[in-house]
Amino acid sequence: MIHKFLLSAYKAMPPALQKHAALYREAMLTARLMRSRSSVRECNVCSYVGNFKAFGFPSRLDARCPQCNSLERHRLLKMWFDENKDRVASKSALHFAPETAVTSFVKPLVSKYVTADLYASLAEIVLNIEAVDLPDNSFDLVICSHVLEHVDDRKALSEMHRILTPGGIALLMTPVIEGWPQTYENPAITSPKDRALHYGQFDHLRYFGSDIRARITDAGFALSEYTAVEPYVHKHALTRGEKIFVASKQQFDTCQT
Protein backbone atom coordinates (compact mmCIF):
# COMPACT_ATOMS: atom_id res chain seq x y z
CA MET A 1 0.00 0.00 0.00
CA ILE A 2 2.81 2.42 0.89
CA HIS A 3 4.62 1.66 -2.36
CA LYS A 4 1.43 2.29 -4.40
CA PHE A 5 0.85 5.55 -2.51
CA LEU A 6 4.40 6.78 -3.17
CA LEU A 7 4.14 5.81 -6.84
CA SER A 8 0.87 7.70 -7.27
CA ALA A 9 2.32 10.71 -5.43
CA TYR A 10 5.36 10.66 -7.72
CA LYS A 11 3.16 10.54 -10.84
CA ALA A 12 1.14 13.49 -9.53
CA MET A 13 4.23 15.68 -9.28
CA PRO A 14 4.97 18.30 -11.94
CA PRO A 15 7.66 17.11 -14.41
CA ALA A 16 10.31 19.38 -12.88
CA LEU A 17 9.77 17.91 -9.43
CA GLN A 18 9.71 14.38 -10.86
CA LYS A 19 13.18 14.99 -12.27
CA HIS A 20 14.57 16.14 -8.92
CA ALA A 21 12.85 13.28 -7.08
CA ALA A 22 14.34 10.76 -9.50
CA LEU A 23 17.84 12.21 -9.09
CA TYR A 24 17.48 12.15 -5.30
CA ARG A 25 16.30 8.53 -5.38
CA GLU A 26 19.22 7.55 -7.62
CA ALA A 27 21.68 9.25 -5.28
CA MET A 28 20.21 7.47 -2.26
CA LEU A 29 20.32 4.09 -4.00
CA THR A 30 23.95 4.69 -5.00
CA ALA A 31 24.89 5.65 -1.44
CA ARG A 32 23.14 2.53 -0.09
CA LEU A 33 24.96 0.34 -2.61
CA MET A 34 28.31 1.88 -1.72
CA ARG A 35 27.71 1.28 2.00
CA SER A 36 26.65 -2.32 1.42
CA ARG A 37 29.72 -3.09 -0.71
CA SER A 38 32.27 -1.43 1.56
CA SER A 39 34.88 -3.85 2.90
CA VAL A 40 37.81 -3.55 5.25
CA ARG A 41 41.00 -2.75 3.34
CA GLU A 42 44.64 -2.33 4.26
CA CYS A 43 46.57 0.72 3.09
CA ASN A 44 50.17 -0.27 2.41
CA VAL A 45 51.18 3.41 2.32
CA CYS A 46 50.14 4.46 5.85
CA SER A 47 49.12 1.11 7.45
CA TYR A 48 45.50 2.18 7.94
CA VAL A 49 43.06 -0.73 8.25
CA GLY A 50 39.36 -0.09 7.76
CA ASN A 51 36.81 1.13 5.27
CA PHE A 52 38.08 3.16 2.32
CA LYS A 53 36.22 6.02 0.62
CA ALA A 54 34.82 6.37 -2.87
CA PHE A 55 36.66 8.75 -5.20
CA GLY A 56 36.42 10.12 -8.71
CA PHE A 57 33.63 10.75 -11.19
CA PRO A 58 32.03 8.40 -11.71
CA SER A 59 32.82 7.18 -8.20
CA ARG A 60 35.20 4.27 -7.75
CA LEU A 61 34.29 2.29 -4.65
CA ASP A 62 37.01 1.94 -2.00
CA ALA A 63 39.46 4.03 -4.02
CA ARG A 64 40.80 6.44 -1.39
CA CYS A 65 42.42 5.72 1.94
CA PRO A 66 40.74 8.07 4.49
CA GLN A 67 43.96 8.48 6.47
CA CYS A 68 46.64 9.31 3.88
CA ASN A 69 44.40 9.92 0.81
CA SER A 70 46.32 7.40 -1.27
CA LEU A 71 44.56 6.11 -4.38
CA GLU A 72 44.79 2.77 -6.17
CA ARG A 73 47.75 3.78 -8.33
CA HIS A 74 49.71 5.06 -5.33
CA ARG A 75 49.28 1.78 -3.48
CA LEU A 76 50.37 -0.19 -6.55
CA LEU A 77 53.51 1.96 -6.79
CA LYS A 78 54.15 1.31 -3.10
CA MET A 79 54.07 -2.43 -3.79
CA TRP A 80 56.65 -2.02 -6.57
CA PHE A 81 58.96 0.04 -4.35
CA ASP A 82 58.63 -2.46 -1.48
CA GLU A 83 59.71 -5.25 -3.84
CA ASN A 84 62.50 -3.26 -5.53
CA LYS A 85 64.23 -1.41 -2.71
CA ASP A 86 67.60 -2.67 -3.85
CA ARG A 87 67.05 -1.08 -7.28
CA VAL A 88 66.32 2.39 -5.90
CA ALA A 89 68.43 2.62 -2.76
CA SER A 90 71.12 5.30 -3.04
CA LYS A 91 69.68 6.40 -6.39
CA SER A 92 68.62 9.84 -7.59
CA ALA A 93 64.93 10.28 -8.45
CA LEU A 94 63.00 12.86 -10.45
CA HIS A 95 59.25 12.84 -9.84
CA PHE A 96 57.00 14.58 -12.38
CA ALA A 97 53.64 15.88 -11.12
CA PRO A 98 54.37 14.65 -7.58
CA GLU A 99 51.60 13.29 -5.38
CA THR A 100 51.94 13.49 -1.60
CA ALA A 101 51.15 9.84 -0.99
CA VAL A 102 53.93 8.73 -3.36
CA THR A 103 56.45 11.26 -2.04
CA SER A 104 55.90 9.88 1.46
CA PHE A 105 57.44 6.49 0.62
CA VAL A 106 59.82 7.35 -2.25
CA LYS A 107 61.75 10.20 -0.65
CA PRO A 108 63.06 8.13 2.31
CA LEU A 109 64.29 5.37 -0.03
CA VAL A 110 66.42 7.37 -2.47
CA SER A 111 69.57 9.43 -2.01
CA LYS A 112 68.27 12.41 -3.97
CA TYR A 113 64.61 13.26 -4.58
CA VAL A 114 63.49 16.14 -6.81
CA THR A 115 59.91 17.03 -7.73
CA ALA A 116 59.04 18.77 -11.00
CA ASP A 117 55.96 20.22 -12.62
CA LEU A 118 55.00 22.75 -15.25
CA TYR A 119 53.64 24.98 -12.48
CA ALA A 120 55.94 26.37 -9.78
CA SER A 121 53.42 26.02 -6.97
CA LEU A 122 53.15 22.25 -7.44
CA ALA A 123 56.79 21.13 -7.19
CA GLU A 124 60.33 22.11 -6.30
CA ILE A 125 61.42 22.94 -9.83
CA VAL A 126 59.64 23.91 -13.04
CA LEU A 127 60.19 21.53 -15.95
CA ASN A 128 58.36 20.90 -19.19
CA ILE A 129 58.34 17.13 -19.61
CA GLU A 130 58.26 17.57 -23.40
CA ALA A 131 61.51 19.57 -23.32
CA VAL A 132 63.31 18.88 -20.06
CA ASP A 133 65.87 21.53 -19.19
CA LEU A 134 68.37 19.07 -17.71
CA PRO A 135 71.60 17.50 -19.02
CA ASP A 136 71.76 13.98 -20.39
CA ASN A 137 72.11 11.20 -17.79
CA SER A 138 70.87 13.36 -14.91
CA PHE A 139 68.78 10.91 -12.84
CA ASP A 140 68.70 7.19 -12.08
CA LEU A 141 64.93 7.03 -11.64
CA VAL A 142 62.01 8.94 -13.13
CA ILE A 143 58.45 8.66 -11.82
CA CYS A 144 55.76 9.71 -14.27
CA SER A 145 52.27 8.76 -13.08
CA HIS A 146 49.19 9.93 -15.00
CA VAL A 147 51.08 12.55 -16.99
CA LEU A 148 51.53 11.02 -20.45
CA GLU A 149 47.82 11.34 -21.31
CA HIS A 150 48.11 15.11 -20.79
CA VAL A 151 51.14 15.80 -23.02
CA ASP A 152 52.90 14.85 -26.23
CA ASP A 153 53.87 11.40 -25.02
CA ARG A 154 56.46 10.76 -27.73
CA LYS A 155 58.40 13.89 -26.82
CA ALA A 156 58.05 13.16 -23.11
CA LEU A 157 59.26 9.57 -23.44
CA SER A 158 62.22 10.66 -25.54
CA GLU A 159 63.18 13.28 -22.96
CA MET A 160 62.87 10.86 -20.05
CA HIS A 161 65.10 8.41 -21.86
CA ARG A 162 67.67 11.15 -22.50
CA ILE A 163 67.91 12.37 -18.90
CA LEU A 164 68.10 8.87 -17.39
CA THR A 165 71.48 7.41 -16.59
CA PRO A 166 72.44 4.17 -18.40
CA GLY A 167 70.56 1.40 -16.59
CA GLY A 168 68.09 3.96 -15.21
CA ILE A 169 64.37 3.30 -14.82
CA ALA A 170 61.24 5.26 -15.69
CA LEU A 171 58.09 4.18 -13.85
CA LEU A 172 55.17 5.03 -16.10
CA MET A 173 51.46 4.89 -15.28
CA THR A 174 48.53 6.07 -17.38
CA PRO A 175 44.98 4.99 -18.24
CA VAL A 176 45.08 2.22 -20.87
CA ILE A 177 42.27 0.55 -22.80
CA GLU A 178 43.83 -2.87 -23.32
CA GLY A 179 41.09 -3.97 -25.72
CA TRP A 180 42.07 -1.25 -28.19
CA PRO A 181 45.04 -2.19 -30.39
CA GLN A 182 45.67 1.46 -31.21
CA THR A 183 45.72 4.62 -29.13
CA TYR A 184 42.70 6.85 -29.72
CA GLU A 185 43.61 10.48 -30.33
CA ASN A 186 42.40 13.18 -32.66
CA PRO A 187 44.08 16.60 -33.00
CA ALA A 188 40.72 18.10 -34.01
CA ILE A 189 39.38 17.44 -30.51
CA THR A 190 40.49 20.55 -28.65
CA SER A 191 37.72 21.92 -26.41
CA PRO A 192 37.57 20.82 -22.75
CA LYS A 193 34.01 19.59 -23.30
CA ASP A 194 34.97 17.42 -26.28
CA ARG A 195 38.07 16.09 -24.53
CA ALA A 196 35.97 15.05 -21.55
CA LEU A 197 33.56 13.29 -23.90
CA HIS A 198 36.22 11.50 -25.96
CA TYR A 199 39.00 10.95 -23.42
CA GLY A 200 37.23 10.91 -20.06
CA GLN A 201 38.73 14.15 -18.72
CA PHE A 202 38.77 17.74 -19.94
CA ASP A 203 42.58 17.99 -20.07
CA HIS A 204 43.40 14.57 -21.54
CA LEU A 205 44.74 14.30 -25.09
CA ARG A 206 44.19 10.58 -25.76
CA TYR A 207 43.19 7.17 -24.50
CA PHE A 208 46.13 4.83 -24.83
CA GLY A 209 45.54 1.44 -26.39
CA SER A 210 47.72 -1.64 -26.07
CA ASP A 211 50.16 -0.03 -28.51
CA ILE A 212 51.45 2.10 -25.64
CA ARG A 213 54.13 -0.58 -25.31
CA ALA A 214 55.44 0.16 -28.81
CA ARG A 215 55.37 3.88 -28.08
CA ILE A 216 57.55 3.29 -25.01
CA THR A 217 60.05 0.99 -26.73
CA ASP A 218 60.21 3.33 -29.74
CA ALA A 219 61.79 5.86 -27.37
CA GLY A 220 64.65 3.42 -26.79
CA PHE A 221 63.47 1.71 -23.61
CA ALA A 222 63.43 -1.95 -22.69
CA LEU A 223 60.07 -2.68 -21.14
CA SER A 224 58.66 -4.86 -18.37
CA GLU A 225 55.34 -4.61 -16.56
CA TYR A 226 54.13 -4.78 -12.97
CA THR A 227 50.45 -5.67 -12.70
CA ALA A 228 47.86 -5.41 -9.92
CA VAL A 229 46.75 -8.98 -9.16
CA GLU A 230 44.99 -10.85 -6.39
CA PRO A 231 45.21 -11.20 -3.44
CA TYR A 232 46.61 -7.66 -3.35
CA VAL A 233 43.75 -6.19 -5.39
CA HIS A 234 41.16 -6.82 -2.69
CA LYS A 235 43.61 -6.44 0.21
CA HIS A 236 44.86 -2.97 -0.78
CA ALA A 237 41.90 -1.90 -2.96
CA LEU A 238 43.85 -1.81 -6.22
CA THR A 239 42.41 -1.47 -9.71
CA ARG A 240 42.26 -4.95 -11.26
CA GLY A 241 44.92 -5.36 -13.91
CA GLU A 242 46.33 -1.83 -13.57
CA LYS A 243 49.94 -1.69 -14.70
CA ILE A 244 53.18 0.07 -13.99
CA PHE A 245 55.23 0.17 -17.17
CA VAL A 246 58.83 -0.25 -16.04
CA ALA A 247 60.92 1.33 -18.80
CA SER A 248 64.66 0.73 -18.55
CA LYS A 249 67.41 2.59 -20.36
CA GLN A 250 69.98 0.16 -21.71
CA GLN A 251 73.45 0.18 -20.19
CA PHE A 252 74.99 0.45 -23.64
CA ASP A 253 73.67 2.15 -26.78
CA THR A 254 73.87 -0.57 -29.44
CA CYS A 255 73.94 2.08 -32.15
CA GLN A 256 77.41 3.11 -30.98
CA THR A 257 78.94 -0.37 -31.01
Side-chain angles (χ1 to χ4, degrees):
M1 291 294 293
I2 294 176
H3 175 73
K4 290 182 178 180
F5 171 76
L6 292 175
L7 181 60
S8 61
Y10 174 77
K11 290 181 178 180
M13 291 179 181
L17 287 179
Q18 284 186 4
K19 179 180 179 181
H20 289 296
L23 290 172
Y24 177 77
R25 179 175 178 274
E26 183 179 349
M28 291 300 99
L29 289 173
T30 300
R32 184 182 303 172
L33 175 64
M34 290 168 65
R35 286 195 299 270
S36 68
R37 290 183 59 183
S38 182
S39 301
V40 172
R41 312 286 189 165
E42 298 179 23
C43 179
N44 57 340
V45 175
C46 70
S47 301
Y48 168 85
V49 178
N51 292 327
F52 281 17
K53 303 293 185 180
F55 185 84
F57 182 80
S59 292
R60 307 188 305 277
L61 297 180
D62 295 339
R64 182 174 65 85
C65 170
Q67 181 164 280
C68 70
N69 293 320
S70 68
L71 299 175
E72 307 98 323
R73 61 181 181 266
H74 307 146
R75 296 188 290 274
L76 183 59
L77 273 168
K78 179 62 162 61
M79 284 186 59
W80 186 91
F81 274 92
D82 285 346
E83 295 179 19
N84 292 275
K85 289 181 180 179
D86 58 327
R87 298 180 69 179
V88 299
S90 302
K91 303 293 186 180
S92 58
L94 177 63
H95 189 175
F96 285 103
E99 295 167 296
T100 302
V102 178
T103 297
S104 70
F105 59 80
V106 175
K107 190 174 182 179
L109 288 176
V110 298
S111 61
K112 177 183 178 182
Y113 177 76
V114 178
T115 60
D117 199 279
L118 196 58
Y119 303 100
S121 61
L122 300 179
E124 295 170 323
I125 62 174
V126 174
L127 288 177
N128 178 357
I129 197 170
E130 297 176 3
V132 181
D133 187 17
L134 289 174
D136 296 355
N137 310 320
S138 295
F139 283 89
D140 304 311
L141 174 68
V142 170
I143 304 169
C144 177
S145 176
H146 286 241
V147 175
L148 291 176
E149 67 272 23
H150 295 266
V151 300
D152 185 322
D153 61 297
R154 298 187 188 280
K155 290 181 178 179
L157 289 165
S158 176
E159 282 293 86
M160 284 187 278
H161 185 273
R162 180 183 64 80
I163 65 171
L164 277 171
T165 57
I169 300 169
L171 300 178
L172 311 171
M173 299 186 76
T174 185
V176 178
I177 310 299
E178 290 285 6
W180 291 355
Q182 292 186 321
T183 293
Y184 172 54
E185 54 189 341
N186 183 344
I189 299 170
T190 57
S191 73
K193 180 180 178 180
D194 286 344
R195 285 175 175 170
L197 175 64
H198 286 260
Y199 307 133
Q201 192 165 306
F202 75 94
D203 55 352
H204 285 189
L205 301 182
R206 66 189 60 82
Y207 259 130
F208 285 106
S210 60
D211 65 332
I212 186 175
R213 295 164 177 84
R215 295 165 86 113
I216 294 171
T217 57
D218 284 349
F221 289 107
L223 181 62
S224 62
E225 300 174 21
Y226 186 84
T227 308
V229 298
E230 290 290 7
Y232 307 105
V233 165
H234 79 267
K235 182 179 181 179
H236 300 308
L238 307 179
T239 299
R240 294 173 180 85
E242 185 171 22
K243 291 182 179 293
I244 301 172
F245 295 100
V246 183
S248 303
K249 183 173 179 177
Q250 300 298 298
Q251 288 281 357
F252 303 100
D253 186 349
T254 56
C255 293
Q256 297 177 354
T257 60

